[in-house]
Every structure is written in C-alpha cells, then in structure tokens.
Amino acid sequence: MAGFLHSHPGHRARQVRWVVPLAAMLTLAVLVTLAVQYQVSDQAVGTEFFRAHKTISHTGELLRRGTAIGAAVLLVLVLAVAGWAFRVTHRIVRPVHTMHRALDALVAGDLGVRVELDRTDEFREVAEALNRLADEFATTLAKVHELVDRIAAQTRATYDQTPLAVVVEELDRTMEFFRLEPRRTIREGDG
C-alpha cells in the first residue's frame, strides 16, 4: 500500500477519511443492486420453473451461482475503485504535505527553504510561486538587515543610551529571528 497511502500520519488519515466512505457507499449500492437482482431473478426463476418443469434445486443452484459470480465481480470492481481513489488522494496529499513542510520552515524563520515538486500541474505552479515569495522576502530582508546594521553602527557611535539606541537594539534582536541561511530544497518524495 506504499504507493497508495501517504507516509505522514495526518495526511494518511485524511486520505482514509475520503476513500472509506466512498468505498462503503459503492459497496452498499452494489449490495442493494444484487438484492434487487436476486428478487427479480427469483420471481423469474419461479415462473420459469413452472413453465419448463425444472427441479427447484437445480434452478436455485443456478441462481446462487449467478449471484455469487455477480457479487465477486462487483467486489473486485469496488476494490479497484477504492484502490484508484487511494492512489488519486495520495497524488493530491503528497504535494500538499511537501508545501506544508516548506511553509512550516518559513514560519520558523528559515528563508533558505525551497520546494521542488516532480509534476507539471497546478501544484508545481503553487510551489514555484512559494519559491518566488521566499526569494523576494529573503532579498527584502537582507536589505532590512543591512539597514538595521548601519543604523545600529551609527547609533552606537553617537548615542549610546538614547531611546533610539534601545529601539535599534530591539529591532536588531527581532531581525535575528529570520535566518538568511543557504538554500535548502524540500522535495516531494522526502518524508
């Protein structure tokens, strides 16, 4: 099931929440269809029995065998649809999880993080937009860091204990939260 279920427990739980009700509804629909088919077939068999004078046991056996084969085919169909649904949800959840990890790193102040997805759809467009946002933010933040450093140097040289020096010192400490670290790429297949 490695290709069907996501490795992250939270995303795997979402996948299961989406697919299991779908499979249950399909199974219920199949069982109702079989029950209706059985009732209609049973009536038709009864009519046929009296017309052709066949034995009840032979006709009943034909009916049971046909129902069992129909149930087996429908069960295989339901399992195939459930497998397909797991695969589709995995293809949706995996890039979302990758971008979520990148956003968590950005929130933690790591501006070197970038996302790399192995696809050519809307998820890749969103990942590229996220990378551009991180680039722009890192560039702007580098300029702010430089400006704060220049102001801090000038303030220390002229006004050692003024309120402006205190504000600049606080701004400098606040800016340390954002780390302009080397680029780090989070790929779609990674954890």
Side-chain angles (χ1 to χ4, degrees):
M1 301 275 303
F4 293 108
L5 291 175
H6 196 276
S7 60
H8 187 271
H11 297 302
R12 185 174 42 245
R14 281 189 200 100
Q15 249 185 309
V16 170
R17 279 196 314 262
W18 293 339
V19 173
V20 169
L22 173 68
M25 287 189 314
L26 282 172
T27 303
L28 182 62
V30 165
L31 291 175
V32 168
T33 302
L34 284 174
V36 169
Q37 176 193 3
Y38 184 84
Q39 284 299 104
V40 170
S41 297
D42 192 33
Q43 291 172 358
V45 167
T47 303
E48 182 64 26
F49 172 74
F50 290 113
R51 278 194 202 150
H53 304 285
K54 294 183 178 181
T55 64
I56 293 175
S57 64
H58 179 68
T59 305
E61 179 60 35
L62 290 175
L63 180 61
R64 278 190 292 282
R65 191 176 337 143
T67 302
I69 290 171
V73 167
L74 289 172
L75 179 63
V76 168
L77 179 65
V78 166
L79 291 175
V81 168
W84 171 80
F86 273 116
R87 184 69 184 142
V88 167
T89 58
H90 182 66
R91 288 202 37 85
I92 293 170
V93 169
R94 193 170 71 187
V96 169
H97 174 67
T98 302
M99 288 186 284
H100 187 265
R101 288 178 35 230
L103 286 169
D104 283 344
L106 287 171
V107 165
D110 181 1
L111 298 179
V113 72
R114 297 298 180 272
V115 178
E116 183 179 301
L117 299 179
D118 299 325
R119 35 193 335 124
T120 58
D121 58 5
E122 293 82 4
F123 287 114
R124 185 176 195 144
E125 293 172 11
V126 171
E128 288 171 354
L130 181 65
N131 289 341
R132 284 192 310 272
L133 174 71
D135 287 338
E136 289 297 319
F137 192 62
T139 301
T140 302
L141 197 59
K143 291 175 186 176
V144 171
H145 268 294
E146 182 183 324
L147 183 61
V148 167
D149 290 343
R150 280 195 329 220
I151 293 172
Q154 287 178 351
T155 304
R156 275 187 224 112
T158 55
Y159 310 103
D160 206 15
Q161 295 297 324
T162 65
L164 180 60
V166 173
V167 169
V168 169
E169 185 69 29
E170 181 64 29
L171 181 59
D172 197 27
R173 277 194 307 273
T174 302
M175 294 300 293
E176 289 303 315
F177 172 78
F178 296 104
R179 300 177 307 279
L180 297 174
E181 296 190 16
R183 218 174 243 209
R184 175 173 70 89
T185 302
I186 296 178
R187 290 182 174 75
E188 189 171 359
D190 300 343

